[in-house]
Amino acid sequence: MAARWEVVRKPSRRGPGGGGSGPGGRKALGEANGGRGLAAPLPLAPSETLYELAFEKTTKKQNKEQVPPPPGQQPQQKKQNLGKPVKKPSAGDSGHKQGQFRSLEDALKALDLSELQKELDKSLSMFPENPSVWAKDLAGYLNYKLQAPRSDPALSQHPHDYPYCLVNKELRSIIKSLLSKSGGVLELFFDHCIYTMLQELDKTPGESLHGYRICIQAVLLDRPKVATVNLGKYLELLRSYQNRPAKCLTIMWALGQAGFADLTEGLKVWLSIMLPVLGIKSLSPYAITYLDRLLMMHPNLTKGFGMIGPKDFFPILDFAFMPNNSLPPSLQEQLRQSYPRLKVLAFGAKPETTLHTYFPSFLSRTTLNCSDDMKKELLNCLTDCLNLDPLSFSVWRQLYIKHLSQSSLLLNHLCESWNSSSKKMRKSLQETVHSFKVTNEELALKGQNSVQDVVACRSACKNLLLKMKGSGFPWFRLLLVILVFTTGFLMHDVRTHGSFEASASAHVLRNSGILSASQQAWNKVSHYSFKGYSWLEANVPLYYSHMVTVLGPNLELVWAKTNETAMYISGKCSTQLAWLGDNLPRLIEWLQTHLPDSVLHLAEHLKELLLFLMRNYLLPAVDYVAGMLEQGWELWVASCNGEGSWDCLRRQLASLTYSSWIYLQDTTVAIKNWALAIISGH
């Protein structure tokens, strides 16, 4: 009987304690067939996956209950089995069929964590020195068990951390524990998950990819740099699948998960992967939505300084402001909302040392033909460069001859915004404009450049120089001159007449009464100052000695008691403080493990609610208030005939006060008449 059973159940080479094929013959989950490996083993082939051994045991148990085949049929059966593979084990042997769960939440609830831990322990025991096998077995097992309806490749209808946000604490602990043991192969495991997901997208119908997505998010949550090690490879892969939007979005989603844990890595992914495909109709919405979500999740932009340079910034500027580009208007407006934060990232922590590198590109784009929004943004950026980075003036002087039309626009803008410019910038600008004036004269004599551009620059320089000369009345200089003149006159007058009493200045002050009034005031100040000083000199020592006598013993007693109390508390609580320092990390870990998932979900929903309120109510309200203020300012300026002066403001306030007083009088009279009418009626 034993020999006949040996035909159905092959002799095992793993030893008496093994539970599956030996390490030499078994292949890892992803090494056999790209990550799934759920097919039943061939008669002479090793098992494809570790958790499939459970299916093999079930089949063998069923075979034991049947009559073994005659010995003569065994060779023929082996030949047939060698010719074609055995059918995959039915879903009844290992759980639910693909798509049987209505949602991923139901699939996660039905997941047997003890069975998962058992299979992972078996993988670790069989392959103790091959962590890639452990990680691939984990991904394959989760992906096979978590069969739920597929979502769109970018998961646009879900939160940013979906599906990992649905994983409970116990499963997260299992995943993190295994990945921590597989630290050296996480990059290969990340590649394996992405390529396996791409292979599944080719199959009809293929499995859902929730297991691989969960593993990707778990890896990048702790090690976000894994995704950015070789971005060039993924860019080439993305270009090779340019006509397959589902695959491109899958790659972009997987790489983009690094940004939600680290702003720097997220910017690397967006600049290297998503910016090059910006403009492709099927990929642009996700790229811009990801950028907006990334910047909203990381309000502290200092961690991203240095990531965006001129090479990356100006394509973003063109996409945001250039009309009729490859972006639809709605996406262009969404990108324009993120543009101010991108500009902060590009200028960095020290714009006073970097903005001169942006100046040439800003200047070359400032043309008469560009749109109004684009021109306004470029001129503001050029003004910022000149205000913050003094080296921008030297760069401008070098580029002036080749960019006359652009320089004329910038000069006119500086003339219009002269009042808002800094004093430091005005000095450098004055020197630059004088050099431009000389250059304009030389160009006019040579006649080599466009006459129209030279004339425009000459006119702009002339207006700006006039603005500099009439920039405001020098009150400080006037007061300084008056003070110096008055002091010199008094000194000369006193020296001429021999003394102050005999001088003409004293005579004038005496006749006008100023000298006598000042003398009386000085006498009073001197008298009261002397009385105050005498009182302090006589009473301060007395009061001080009295306070020392009365409060000294009590203060010494309070100080002694305070020291004793501090020493007592320190002695009693030292043990508790030491215990708290030792056990606080354990308490935090326990709370993270046992905290209900509902609390985390509530916090996530609250965060989404606050973001929704800010985007849809707070920011529009701020824009509305700003618009109303601007409209009110324009109405006030228009009422002043375009001159926002103090005289006009005084007239407006007087008119408002008069109108209010008339209205108050009319209201008072109306109330009085109403009261008299009521009284007379009774």
Side-chain angles (χ1 to χ4, degrees), residues 369-423:
N369 299 325
C370 63
S371 63
D372 294 338
D373 293 337
M374 183 80 163
K375 187 186 301 181
K376 181 180 178 181
E377 176 61 26
L378 290 172
L379 291 174
N380 290 334
C381 291
L382 287 168
T383 305
D384 292 338
C385 293
L386 297 174
N387 265 316
L388 299 175
D389 192 349
L391 292 178
S392 300
F393 285 100
S394 62
V395 176
W396 189 12
R397 286 193 290 267
Q398 296 174 6
L399 300 173
Y400 179 72
I401 296 178
K402 295 183 179 180
H403 298 82
L404 290 174
S405 60
Q406 293 90 337
S407 297
S408 65
L409 292 175
L410 179 55
L411 289 169
N412 288 324
H413 176 74
L414 292 174
C415 185
E416 295 173 359
S417 61
W418 176 257
N419 295 329
S420 61
S421 60
S422 63
K423 294 182 179 180

Side-chain angles (χ1 to χ4, degrees), residues 427-441:
K427 183 177 180 181
S428 301
L429 182 60
Q430 188 172 8
E431 298 174 357
T432 303
V433 173
H434 280 296
S435 68
F436 287 168
K437 184 178 180 181
V438 176
T439 305
N440 293 335
E441 299 298 333

Side-chain angles (χ1 to χ4, degrees), residues 290-325:
Y290 173 82
L291 176 65
D292 181 60
R293 181 176 287 180
L294 178 68
L295 297 177
M296 290 296 293
M297 287 189 61
H298 300 281
N300 183 13
L301 301 178
T302 57
K303 295 182 179 180
F305 285 163
M307 294 303 304
I308 301 180
K311 182 180 178 182
D312 300 316
F313 175 74
F314 286 103
I316 299 173
L317 174 67
D318 294 338
F319 274 116
F321 290 95
M322 187 176 293
N324 302 323
N325 58 27

Side-chain angles (χ1 to χ4, degrees), residues 519-540:
Q519 287 178 349
Q520 292 178 3
W522 175 253
N523 292 333
K524 287 184 179 181
V525 171
S526 301
H527 174 69
Y528 287 111
S529 299
F530 180 76
K531 287 182 65 175
Y533 178 77
S534 301
W535 185 89
L536 290 175
E537 187 178 14
N539 292 283
V540 166

Side-chain angles (χ1 to χ4, degrees), residues 557-570:
L557 180 61
V558 170
W559 180 253
K561 292 295 183 181
T562 303
N563 289 335
E564 292 177 3
T565 304
M567 295 296 293
Y568 176 78
I569 294 175
S570 176

Side-chain angles (χ1 to χ4, degrees), residues 274-524:
M274 301 187 189
L275 181 58
V277 300
L278 203 63
I280 299 178
K281 184 177 181 180
S282 57
L283 306 182
S284 297
Y286 178 75
I288 296 178
T289 302
Y290 173 82
L291 176 65
D292 181 60
R293 181 176 287 180
L294 178 68
L295 297 177
M296 290 296 293
M297 287 189 61
H298 300 281
N300 183 13
L301 301 178
T302 57
K303 295 182 179 180
F305 285 163
M307 294 303 304
I308 301 180
K311 182 180 178 182
D312 300 316
F313 175 74
F314 286 103
I316 299 173
L317 174 67
D318 294 338
F319 274 116
F321 290 95
M322 187 176 293
N324 302 323
N325 58 27
S326 53
L327 286 180
S330 59
L331 292 180
Q332 189 177 25
E333 181 62 28
Q334 188 176 355
L335 179 60
R336 195 176 294 184
Q337 293 177 0
S338 302
Y339 169 78
R341 286 168 286 176
L342 293 174
K343 184 165 71 171
V344 172
L345 288 170
F347 290 174
K350 296 182 178 180
E352 63 274 8
T353 60
T354 58
L355 284 181
H356 68 277
T357 60
Y358 291 83
F359 191 89
S361 297
F362 281 133
L363 186 63
S364 62
R365 283 171 166 77
T366 310
T367 61
L368 293 171
N369 299 325
C370 63
S371 63
D372 294 338
D373 293 337
M374 183 80 163
K375 187 186 301 181
K376 181 180 178 181
E377 176 61 26
L378 290 172
L379 291 174
N380 290 334
C381 291
L382 287 168
T383 305
D384 292 338
C385 293
L386 297 174
N387 265 316
L388 299 175
D389 192 349
L391 292 178
S392 300
F393 285 100
S394 62
V395 176
W396 189 12
R397 286 193 290 267
Q398 296 174 6
L399 300 173
Y400 179 72
I401 296 178
K402 295 183 179 180
H403 298 82
L404 290 174
S405 60
Q406 293 90 337
S407 297
S408 65
L409 292 175
L410 179 55
L411 289 169
N412 288 324
H413 176 74
L414 292 174
C415 185
E416 295 173 359
S417 61
W418 176 257
N419 295 329
S420 61
S421 60
S422 63
K423 294 182 179 180
K424 183 179 179 181
M425 173 194 168
R426 292 180 181 182
K427 183 177 180 181
S428 301
L429 182 60
Q430 188 172 8
E431 298 174 357
T432 303
V433 173
H434 280 296
S435 68
F436 287 168
K437 184 178 180 181
V438 176
T439 305
N440 293 335
E441 299 298 333
E442 295 177 353
L443 293 175
L445 293 176
K446 293 180 181 179
Q448 297 177 357
N449 298 79
S450 174
V451 178
Q452 185 177 0
D453 294 338
V454 175
V455 171
C457 288
R458 291 179 65 180
S459 175
C461 290
K462 181 179 179 181
N463 294 333
L464 194 54
L465 289 174
L466 291 175
K467 191 71 129 178
M468 293 175 184
K469 293 180 180 179
S471 58
F473 192 80
W475 291 104
F476 178 76
R477 294 183 180 180
L478 178 62
L479 293 175
L480 183 62
V481 169
I482 293 174
L483 179 62
V484 172
F485 175 78
T486 304
T487 304
F489 176 78
L490 288 174
M491 293 177 64
H492 176 73
D493 191 18
V494 171
R495 180 178 297 179
T496 302
H497 294 84
S499 65
F500 177 75
E501 296 294 335
S503 64
S505 300
H507 182 70
V508 172
L509 292 174
R510 192 180 299 111
N511 293 335
S512 62
I514 297 177
L515 185 61
S516 59
S518 61
Q519 287 178 349
Q520 292 178 3
W522 175 253
N523 292 333
K524 287 184 179 181

